[in-house]
Amino acid sequence: MPTSQDTDVSALRALAQTYFDAAYEMDAEKFASIFHPSSSVTKVAENGTLSVTPIANWLAAVRSAKAPQQQGSQREDQILLIDAESDLALVKVKLRVPPRSFTDLLSCLKVNGSWKIAQKVMTSNA
């Protein structure tokens, strides 16, 4: 019989798969379905400072980005870690959106029974 931990891990795997699909298709609505509306995206900017972008602004940028799928790029996505405890989880993923590879830490919270990304912290390299 599956435990609530098993159920959470399955739900978080599904969230990660939606995340990968959204990135491959550059589908802002698909991303919006798994991010909490008050979430943000955090990274180190090119000038070395901390950059925090509200999710609405990040989704606007996604809408104007070229989708790897449209460019015929091979998918390269991988779940590196899922760590869940109660209503808190960390999902570490690696994916490729040419010309860059990204490692993202997705801090997730179970809100009203559904897992949502509360914060995305990311880094990338060419």
Side-chain angles (χ1 to χ4, degrees):
M1 177 168 230
T3 65
S4 63
Q5 177 81 8
D6 294 336
T7 304
D8 287 337
V9 169
S10 291
L12 290 160
R13 283 188 179 284
L15 179 142
Q17 189 58 55
T18 300
Y19 184 83
F20 293 143
D21 292 345
Y24 188 64
E25 299 161 15
M26 275 302 136
D27 185 329
E29 280 57 48
K30 204 170 271 188
F31 273 128
S33 76
I34 56 172
F35 277 88
H36 191 274
S38 65
S39 63
S40 58
V41 176
T42 303
K43 66 179 184 175
V44 175
E46 291 188 20
N47 65 4
T49 63
L50 188 70
S51 164
V52 180
T53 305
I55 197 61
N57 297 16
W58 185 79
L59 290 171
V62 166
R63 286 183 182 94
S64 64
K66 281 196 187 293
Q69 183 179 41
Q70 290 175 322
Q71 299 171 36
S73 297
Q74 291 284 358
R75 285 184 71 150
E76 293 178 43
D77 36 50
Q78 180 181 11
I79 298 171
L80 301 176
L81 168 82
I82 294 178
D83 188 359
E85 183 173 325
S86 186
D87 60 357
L88 170 72
L90 178 66
V91 179
K92 183 178 181 182
V93 297
K94 194 171 192 85
L95 65 157
R96 182 144 180 78
V97 179
R100 305 185 82 74
S101 290
F102 293 87
T103 301
D104 298 342
L105 298 177
L106 308 174
S107 295
C108 303
L109 292 169
K110 193 188 285 187
V111 181
N112 296 322
S114 178
W115 286 103
K116 295 291 181 186
I117 300 169
Q119 179 74 26
K120 168 181 166 167
V121 179
M122 61 178 279
T123 190
S124 67
N125 54 49

